[in-house]
Amino acid sequence: MTGTDHAVLVLRLAAPLQSWGGPSRYNQRETRPQPTKSGVLGLLAAAEGRDREASLTDLVGLQLGVRVDQPGTLLRDYHTYSDYRGVPLLSAKTNAKGQQTRTTPAKHTGVTRRYYLQDAVFVAALRGPKALVQSLEEAVRNPAFPLCLGRRSCPPTGPVSLGLRTDSPLKEALEGVPWQAGSHRRRQARGATVSLEATVEDPAGDRIALDVPDTYDLRTGTRFVRRDVRHLWVTVPSGNDRPATETAPAGQPDHDPFALLGW
């Protein structure tokens, strides 16, 4: 159902590196293949200048849809860390008071494995009350805090906001946005349209995503709540006027199975 009191904010999430983690912690920091609701809401909260302890009630109510314009590839980073005070790192053991003890013999450097998506491009659509969505769009264009795509080390490439749309279902909103992939990816397209993977929030969806945050407060930690989503495909113009049945030039194959992977 649509109405004049609602609107849709469209974001372009592109960067050399992105990382959309979920419940993963400690030495293994994973990334999801698509932006999570926790990550996108965190970007909006940063744009508005909200403190980590601020309520997220209004943001959690936004409906999220994500379109995969360029899936990117997975990168694993070998990352080391140490205590800035020069003291030994904490061990997995605890004392009688339940407090973690320091490593014995002393260990001053630890290793984490952090995963990123490289060269990925997504389109995110957020549907909600018009006044809230309008204020969020203004905040994204003039952010109070620097914006990042999942982690502080992942600043976006180019403007994030693609503007506001009149109220519509998330699927229609995603279908109305031009293909945002890089020029090298668009040149691989055959035909006038391209089918892109998408996930939309839907109470009747047949899948579950565990990525709705209750808080970003570091003292209490974030607990994630489930939401129902639906997987689908949307068709958008490719910007390529060459017919899909056009014969490939001599020496080039008619079918490129790696094109769907962005290679």
Side-chain angles (χ1 to χ4, degrees), residues 49-100:
R50 299 194 188 195
D51 295 331
R52 283 187 171 273
E53 298 79 14
S55 172
L56 301 175
T57 303
D58 55 341
L59 298 183
V60 168
L62 296 171
Q63 289 182 301
L64 173 65
V66 174
R67 192 182 79 188
V68 183
D69 286 41
Q70 189 167 295
T73 56
L74 188 65
L75 171 70
R76 185 181 71 173
D77 176 35
Y78 179 86
H79 188 93
T80 61
Y81 65 95
S82 58
D83 192 302
Y84 72 95
R85 297 166 296 181
V87 299
L89 300 177
L90 294 173
S91 70
K93 300 179 181 179
T94 59
N95 57 24
K97 297 181 179 179
Q99 300 170 329
Q100 280 185 276

Side-chain angles (χ1 to χ4, degrees), residues 58-256:
D58 55 341
L59 298 183
V60 168
L62 296 171
Q63 289 182 301
L64 173 65
V66 174
R67 192 182 79 188
V68 183
D69 286 41
Q70 189 167 295
T73 56
L74 188 65
L75 171 70
R76 185 181 71 173
D77 176 35
Y78 179 86
H79 188 93
T80 61
Y81 65 95
S82 58
D83 192 302
Y84 72 95
R85 297 166 296 181
V87 299
L89 300 177
L90 294 173
S91 70
K93 300 179 181 179
T94 59
N95 57 24
K97 297 181 179 179
Q99 300 170 329
Q100 280 185 276
T101 59
R102 298 288 173 180
T103 51
T104 306
K107 181 180 178 181
H108 293 85
T109 302
V111 176
T112 63
R113 294 174 177 83
R114 304 190 181 195
Y115 291 84
Y116 299 85
L117 297 175
Q118 54 185 351
D119 198 30
V121 181
F122 304 97
V123 170
L126 295 124
R127 178 180 179 270
K130 189 173 184 178
L132 172 62
V133 171
Q134 287 177 332
S135 67
L136 290 173
E137 199 275 337
E138 176 63 25
V140 171
R141 290 189 180 275
N142 302 279
F145 299 138
L147 303 182
C148 59
L149 305 188
R151 292 197 186 127
R152 290 184 182 180
S153 58
C154 302
T157 300
V160 173
S161 175
L162 292 179
L164 296 172
R165 304 291 191 274
T166 55
D167 188 25
S168 65
L170 289 175
K171 180 178 182 293
E172 293 181 13
L174 293 175
E175 289 175 331
V177 181
W179 196 16
Q180 298 296 310
S183 58
H184 67 287
R185 180 70 180 90
R186 297 197 304 272
R187 283 195 297 269
Q188 297 175 353
R190 298 178 181 274
T193 61
V194 61
S195 294
L196 303 175
E197 181 184 2
T199 302
V200 297
E201 199 163 332
D202 184 351
D206 57 354
R207 299 189 180 189
I208 295 174
L210 187 66
D211 63 355
V212 183
D214 63 340
T215 181
Y216 295 119
D217 191 340
L218 295 176
R219 296 173 299 179
T220 61
T222 301
R223 290 178 298 177
F224 295 97
V225 181
R226 54 183 279 178
R227 63 187 174 109
D228 296 315
V229 299
R230 178 164 52 97
H231 179 269
L232 46 87
W233 294 86
V234 296
T235 301
V236 300
S238 67
N240 187 349
D241 296 330
R242 183 177 62 186
T245 57
E246 179 181 308
T247 302
Q252 294 187 14
D254 291 330
H255 173 63
D256 180 5

Side-chain angles (χ1 to χ4, degrees), residues 2-7 129-130 167:
T2 61
T4 57
D5 59 336
H6 282 63
K130 189 173 184 178
D167 188 25

